[in-house]
Amino acid sequence: MTVKRSSAAGVCWTLLMGCVFAAHAVTFEVKDGNSTCINADLNASFSITYNTTNGTSAARFVLPSSAAAGDASTCGGAGVPPELLVSFGAGHALTLVFSSDGRLYRVANISLQYNLSDTSTFPQSSSTGLVTVMTNASGISARLNSTYRCVSSTSVSLSAEVNITFSDVHMEAYMSGANRSTDESVCSADQTVTTAAPTQSPRTTTAPSPVPPPAPERGNYTLTGRNGTACLLALMGLQLNITHRSRSLNQMVSEVVNLQPNRTTASGSCGVTVATLVLTEDLTNLTFTFALNSTTQKFYLSAVSVSAFWPDMTDRFSEGNVSLDLLQCSVGRSYMCSAEQTLSIVPSFSINTFRLQLQPFNVTAGRFSAVEQCRMDQENMLIPIIVGVALAGLVLIVLIAYLIGRKRTHAGYQTI
Ligand SMILES: *[C@@H]1O[C@H](CO)[C@@H](O)[C@H](O)[C@H]1NC(C)=O
Ligand SMILES: *[C@@H]1O[C@H](CO)[C@@H](O)[C@H](O)[C@H]1NC(C)=O
Ligand SMILES: *[C@@H]1O[C@H](CO)[C@@H](O)[C@H](O)[C@H]1NC(C)=O
Ligand SMILES: *[C@@H]1O[C@H](CO)[C@@H](O)[C@H](O)[C@H]1NC(C)=O
Ligand SMILES: *[C@@H]1O[C@H](CO)[C@@H](O)[C@H](O)[C@H]1NC(C)=O
Ligand SMILES: *[C@@H]1O[C@H](CO)[C@@H](O)[C@H](O)[C@H]1NC(C)=O
Ligand SMILES: *[C@@H]1O[C@H](CO)[C@@H](O)[C@H](O)[C@H]1NC(C)=O
Ligand SMILES: *[C@@H]1O[C@H](CO)[C@@H](O)[C@H](O)[C@H]1NC(C)=O
Ligand SMILES: *[C@@H]1O[C@H](CO)[C@@H](O)[C@H](O)[C@H]1NC(C)=O
Ligand SMILES: *[C@@H]1O[C@H](CO)[C@@H](O)[C@H](O)[C@H]1NC(C)=O
Ligand SMILES: *[C@@H]1O[C@H](CO)[C@@H](O)[C@H](O)[C@H]1NC(C)=O
């Protein structure tokens, strides 16, 4: 176990007053033999309410640069999860326990042990001894082989009395090399950092609206049936809009995130009357169910469910709706909508689709069948046609007027 100290404090001295809590980021490393498994660079400040002899008091302190990765830190293995245990001061300890599902790793729980007997930190405390609090909702997760980055401050509440605010976090667990990966999983507070600054002004009560992301890239998702031929085709750009409680702002926000095709895998099943497409990206699971109505000979999107745990969410977001009737199209054709379309699933979740073409049934030779366009596209097509017809009409009128005029003048000359 080794501990290094970084020197972000230099900036602080120049800012003097404003820097009481913006302390150094401290670097911790957990090693197994010669190979590093956890490398974390972080700032943490603690706020702990405790009982005093004459009331309650709040202790506020930062993770000191003397903090060290304790001997209980481990790279894990054989049913033991990797763990970073940072001890500091008179018997205080911050523990991060990691877990991984083979694609992502996350901080499964954060616990803090603090020592109320430490009178310099907890003056006049009415009780003494060690207190341990723990949460398993850290909100910290990242892709394996990537560094979790969160420069913005994010608070984690471990109990009604204990809050930890992390900032300047650069951390990787389950490392495959000696150094932290240059590939980063950026927390959403950082992604919207320019607009999401929390405003404590009493006049503004609405959440600051983050800049909407650009139109998503178009993904190509294909399912293959048992006989090895494509049975469901989908080409589309997807943007998810989820309204959830933001961890960094502690209020409801509508977060809009693009699905990145090169990080998304497609799975599911094809059937005679029901087909399912499951799209999985790091922190997001999306399931589309298509149904076929044999009476009307049309297929439609009948159900959608989502499960997401984005970094700024306080809890996992899981919602779905099984009574939808969207994207209707005749059987044996493919549904197409180039224009942006919003699919409202539940009040807190909608999907914006871009340049969509899909066919969940009757795919032959791995290719889309004849296209049936959505109304928006038909209307968009109609405008140029109307303009074209109007222009042609205008040209015709001018031409006729010209010809008539010419004939008249011609006739006029002849009479003289
Ligand atoms: C660690 O590295 C040193 C020097 O490179 C080497 O002598 C030692 O055997 C290594 N230990 C392990 C456990 O690999
Ligand atoms: C403080 O004292 C009150 C009343 O005695 C008690 O309910 C509360 O749990 C105590 N808080 C802590 C943090 O010990
Ligand atoms: C409790 O006592 C301390 C010292 O005796 C004093 O500084 C503090 O203001 C008191 N707190 C309250 C809430 O009376
Ligand atoms: C708690 O703090 C007291 C006073 O500083 C100290 O004597 C004691 O050893 C500490 N407890 C632990 C477990 O370190
Ligand atoms: C992470 O990197 C290691 C070593 O390069 C590799 O074996 C492993 O498959 C990678 N894991 C993921 C999920 O990319
Ligand atoms: C961390 O959380 C997991 C899941 O909630 C739990 O099984 C595990 O025991 C916790 N670890 C510690 C050290 O509390
Ligand atoms: C593959 O199966 C689908 C339906 O399951 C069928 O329509 C298609 O003709 C089959 N293709 C081949 C090459 O057998
Ligand atoms: C996201 O959803 C919210 C709430 O329904 C809505 O106000 C907002 O305009 C939507 N944003 C986008 C980009 O679709
Ligand atoms: C995914 O695509 C984006 C945009 O084209 C690119 O910046 C990124 O490096 C790609 N990521 C991977 C893992 O291929
Ligand atoms: C098929 O569509 C008809 C007409 O819209 C409707 O009455 C019927 O309930 C639908 N059947 C199913 C299975 O959805
Ligand atoms: C599911 O979708 C239907 C049709 O759009 C809508 O009427 C219903 O309110 C939705 N259910 C929920 C729980 O939002």
Side-chain angles (χ1 to χ4, degrees):
M1 248 70 65
T2 50
V3 185
K4 287 183 223 144
R5 278 155 218 160
S6 82
S7 56
V11 188
C12 266
W13 287 116
T14 61
L15 296 171
L16 277 174
M17 301 305 284
C19 253
V20 180
F21 288 112
H24 338 208
V26 191
T27 303
F28 305 101
E29 222 171 28
V30 179
K31 286 187 166 190
D32 187 3
N34 283 346
S35 65
T36 308
C37 59
I38 303 173
N39 182 306
D41 227 343
L42 54 89
N43 249 351
S45 62
F46 305 88
S47 163
I48 301 174
T49 308
Y50 64 101
N51 285 342
T52 58
T53 43
N54 61 353
T56 60
S57 213
R60 292 179 211 283
F61 53 96
V62 297
L63 190 65
S65 56
S66 58
D71 287 339
S73 296
T74 171
C75 285
V80 180
E83 185 174 318
L84 169 65
L85 186 147
V86 174
S87 356
F88 58 98
H92 312 298
L94 173 69
T95 307
L96 307 185
V97 179
F98 295 86
S99 70
S100 167
D101 63 2
R103 296 189 329 114
L104 297 179
Y105 64 91
R106 60 178 89 241
V107 175
N109 26 39
I110 299 182
S111 63
L112 179 71
Q113 170 192 288
Y114 56 98
N115 182 0
L116 288 173
S117 306
D118 174 8
T119 48
S120 59
T121 311
F122 302 100
Q124 263 102 36
S125 173
S126 56
S127 36
T128 54
L130 298 176
V131 179
T132 303
V133 287
M134 202 262 288
T135 180
N136 51 22
S138 74
I140 298 174
S141 63
R143 274 169 289 111
L144 274 177
N145 295 344
S146 80
T147 297
Y148 174 79
R149 188 195 93 187
C150 204
V151 175
S152 314
S153 295
T154 53
S155 289
V156 180
S157 168
L158 279 72
S159 72
E161 289 84 26
V162 179
N163 269 301
I164 307 179
T165 303
F166 290 102
S167 60
D168 248 326
V169 179
H170 295 85
M171 176 164 72
E172 185 175 3
Y174 299 94
M175 290 167 75
S176 55
N179 297 314
R180 277 200 309 254
S181 171
T182 49
D183 182 18
E184 289 184 331
S185 292
V186 180
C187 70
S188 61
D190 276 11
Q191 287 166 10
T192 56
V193 73
T194 48
T195 53
T199 46
Q200 236 61 65
S201 151
R203 260 178 266 159
T204 54
T205 50
T206 53
S209 57
V211 183
E217 265 182 71
R218 198 184 198 198
N220 184 350
Y221 311 110
T222 302
L223 294 187
T224 311
R226 273 197 211 100
N227 57 15
T229 57
C231 59
L232 181 151
L233 304 174
L235 276 174
M236 55 196 175
L238 296 177
Q239 197 170 67
L240 311 184
N241 185 346
I242 295 182
T243 305
H244 63 88
R245 178 160 287 277
S246 156
R247 168 182 295 281
S248 56
L249 303 178
N250 193 29
Q251 58 182 333
M252 299 307 284
V253 296
S254 290
E255 196 175 351
V256 181
V257 168
N258 289 344
L259 210 65
Q260 285 176 278
N262 56 5
R263 288 184 171 157
T264 303
T265 54
S267 58
S269 62
C270 297
V272 180
T273 57
V274 175
T276 311
L277 173 65
V278 182
L279 298 180
T280 309
E281 201 199 323
D282 303 351
L283 311 164
T284 313
N285 246 303
L286 198 59
T287 306
F288 296 92
T289 305
F290 299 93
L292 199 145
N293 185 328
S294 46
T295 319
T296 57
Q297 282 296 298
K298 285 186 182 276
F299 68 78
Y300 58 101
L301 178 63
S302 66
V304 172
S305 68
V306 69
S307 167
F309 202 178
W310 296 342
D312 195 34
M313 286 180 174
T314 28
D315 291 301
R316 172 172 288 279
F317 179 91
S318 295
E319 282 288 357
N321 192 332
V322 293
S323 48
L324 301 172
D325 188 3
L326 299 165
L327 315 180
Q328 255 201 37
C329 178
S330 305
V331 167
R333 298 196 169 219
S334 65
Y335 178 91
M336 183 152 160
C337 204
S338 304
E340 178 182 349
Q341 197 175 13
T342 299
L343 311 177
S344 300
I345 313 302
V346 291
S348 56
F349 171 51
S350 62
I351 305 174
N352 299 324
T353 69
F354 297 75
R355 298 195 290 146
L356 171 111
Q357 184 172 15
L358 63 85
Q359 187 169 352
F361 300 105
N362 301 54
V363 173
T364 48
R367 278 200 294 270
F368 282 113
S369 305
V371 162
E372 202 166 288
Q373 270 172 324
C374 64
R375 192 182 307 155
M376 259 180 297
D377 280 8
Q378 288 170 4
E379 281 164 6
N380 288 349
M381 289 273 277
L382 221 56
I383 293 166
I385 290 173
I386 292 169
V387 170
V389 167
L391 277 178
L394 205 66
V395 166
L396 210 67
I397 290 167
V398 169
L399 199 70
I400 290 169
Y402 168 75
L403 286 178
I404 290 172
R406 213 172 91 122
K407 208 168 177 184
R408 281 232 181 110
T409 14
H410 205 62
Y413 278 122
Q414 274 188 337
T415 55
I416 290 172

